[in-house]
Amino acid sequence: MDRPFGLLAELTHACPLHCPYCSNPLDLADPRTELTTREWRRVVAEAAELGVLHLHLSGGEPLRRRDLVEIVHGAHELGLYTNLITSAVGLSPRRAEQLRAAGLDHVQISIQADEPALSDRIAGTPSFARKTAAARLVKELGWPLTLNVVLHRHTIDRVERILGLAEELAADRIELANTQYYGWAWHNRDGLLPSRAQLERAEPVVRAARERLRGRMEVVYVIPDYHNLYPKPCMGGWGRRQLTVEPGGDVLPCPPAHALPLPRAGVREHSLAWIWERSPLFQRFRGTDWMPEPCRSCERREVDFGGCRCQAFLLTGDAARTDPVCHLSPDHGIVAAAVRAADEADHAHDAVLAPRPHPGRSV
């Protein structure tokens, strides 16, 4: 069996931002249910025994955890490569120095836009100045810096200026990731999905920047699934390479799988090894035996593995259906209709976007 090489540790759902494209659950975890420091240390140790090499510390906002330095130190002692995925709100010089001393290897900072007013409006709180200051601090301390920019209808036309900001901040890598429609982003999809015309304008800009910045900055560009001919492989295949541990200890094959009506598996009841190797959750969509037609007889069945199970469920109500993003899917008309609506929208910025709620609130 393939072993996982990456663990996404969602330490908390608490976050100072309220981004309308957040992929966390609509009903956010109560902070009182979060795993303790000791439990997270055990989970990380079990992950290392299982073969995990990369530990991604995320949330919500992982800096909200007072024990973050201790968790990083424990992972470093186990030989794991640690990546902090952060809004950077709360990354003070003192906290950064502590994390550096604990052995943190890499920092990834989210940026909502290239200029303060729009960035702060999307984030739902004044944060742009703190983010750019934190990015400069990261470089001063010698860490590799990745910027993550979630693109959508309101920002994709600004991609050239966003790349300019990344150059100004001396980022080593930038992820220009078009919104994936799960969680709060699913709730706001109609206001976020870009038109084909917007994508056609953005793609040559990204290609030119990738060529110009070659050797200085890695430029990663992910287009929206809805505009693809074929779906993306689900995390390299369901339960093949990655696992996610939620704040309360539930373990998932991918972050948005919390939405699926499947048996739960948690680290408070089982070991990580048992969950990976034997749990019904991780077995459910492994391999190709579960696939319906047209996936079962498709030559791409071990390339995209039937697409995204979470997307199939959100769009059709059945997680075992072919991902409707695929043009061969019998349900592809659902996606085509959404794309047509985005193309026909007259004004890119008229839609009202609902902000991500505070933890503990449900919609």
Side-chain angles (χ1 to χ4, degrees):
M1 180 183 295
D2 290 326
R3 293 288 169 175
F5 66 78
L7 169 64
L8 177 65
E10 295 183 336
L11 301 182
T12 180
H13 281 158
C15 184
L17 307 186
H18 308 283
C19 304
Y21 49 71
C22 182
S23 61
N24 282 148
L26 297 185
D27 193 359
L28 299 171
D30 188 323
R32 293 171 293 184
T33 67
E34 292 174 4
L35 297 180
T36 64
T37 308
R38 177 175 292 183
E39 286 173 321
W40 273 117
R41 291 286 298 266
R42 174 176 61 80
V43 168
V44 172
E46 290 182 7
E49 291 178 6
L50 195 55
V52 165
L53 301 175
H54 289 187
L55 175 64
H56 304 283
L57 299 157
S58 182
E61 176 47 67
L63 289 167
R64 289 290 179 99
R65 290 282 302 218
R66 296 179 181 178
D67 56 359
L68 178 61
V69 171
E70 184 177 344
I71 294 170
V72 169
H73 178 68
H76 178 71
E77 288 186 323
L78 292 167
L80 296 180
Y81 184 91
T82 50
N83 174 32
L84 178 65
I85 303 172
T86 177
S87 70
V89 176
L91 188 62
S92 65
R94 180 173 178 271
R95 197 82 183 280
E97 291 283 5
Q98 290 173 338
L99 289 166
R100 193 79 177 96
L104 182 69
D105 293 297
H106 182 274
V107 179
Q108 175 178 314
I109 295 177
S110 67
I111 298 284
Q112 278 63 41
D114 60 287
E115 58 91 20
L118 179 58
S119 181
D120 292 348
R121 178 164 64 84
I122 294 170
T125 189
S127 54
F128 181 82
R130 285 179 284 178
K131 288 171 175 287
T132 52
R136 293 185 174 96
L137 175 62
V138 165
K139 295 299 293 185
E140 288 170 11
L141 291 176
W143 273 309
L145 170 65
T146 292
L147 297 181
N148 176 266
V149 184
V150 177
L151 299 176
H152 45 81
R153 193 174 187 87
H154 301 250
T155 57
I156 192 167
D157 289 324
R158 306 180 66 91
V159 70
E160 187 167 12
R161 282 168 282 191
I162 290 168
L163 284 160
L165 175 64
E167 285 190 79
E168 179 187 328
L169 295 174
D172 300 282
R173 186 172 186 266
I174 183 168
E175 296 178 354
L176 299 165
N178 274 278
T179 305
Q180 305 297 319
Y181 297 101
Y182 311 109
W184 212 244
W186 169 254
H187 184 75
N188 282 315
R189 186 191 69 179
D190 290 347
L192 292 169
L193 186 64
S195 67
R196 292 186 189 276
Q198 288 182 296
L199 288 173
E200 288 169 1
R201 290 193 295 267
E203 288 174 8
V205 174
V206 174
R207 284 197 300 270
R210 185 177 285 147
E211 185 62 32
R212 178 172 56 82
L213 296 170
R214 192 180 304 278
R216 289 193 290 135
M217 183 193 305
E218 182 183 2
V219 178
V220 179
Y221 180 64
V222 182
I223 70 170
D225 285 0
Y226 284 39
H227 292 82
N228 268 331
L229 198 61
Y230 297 104
K232 66 179 184 298
C234 181
M235 304 295 289
W238 180 274
R240 291 188 70 234
R241 296 295 186 191
Q242 307 275 347
L243 24 68
T244 295
V245 179
E246 292 194 308
D250 276 357
V251 185
L252 301 169
C254 62
H258 54 73
L260 301 183
L262 294 174
R264 313 315 291 175
V267 297
R268 284 178 169 145
E269 297 77 33
H270 301 285
S271 70
L272 210 57
W274 183 89
I275 293 170
W276 177 261
E277 295 167 359
R278 299 174 57 191
S279 70
L281 172 63
F282 274 74
Q283 296 290 344
R284 178 63 181 90
F285 296 114
R286 269 197 178 126
T288 59
D289 290 346
W290 63 271
M291 289 181 176
E293 293 293 351
C295 297
R296 182 179 292 272
S297 57
C298 181
E299 62 182 12
R300 291 179 56 86
R301 63 184 176 278
E302 294 188 5
V303 175
D304 55 38
F305 300 97
C308 177
R309 299 300 87 225
C310 305
Q311 195 156 254
F313 175 73
L314 287 170
L315 290 168
T316 73
D318 183 356
R321 298 281 289 180
T322 298
D323 187 339
V325 160
C326 182
H327 74 290
L328 300 174
S329 166
D331 303 306
H332 182 65
I334 299 170
V335 170
V339 171
R340 280 196 304 273
D343 290 344
E344 292 166 3
D346 291 331
H347 304 290
H349 309 301
D350 282 354
V352 176
L353 300 176
R356 175 192 192 266
H358 290 281
R361 295 182 186 172
S362 58
V363 296

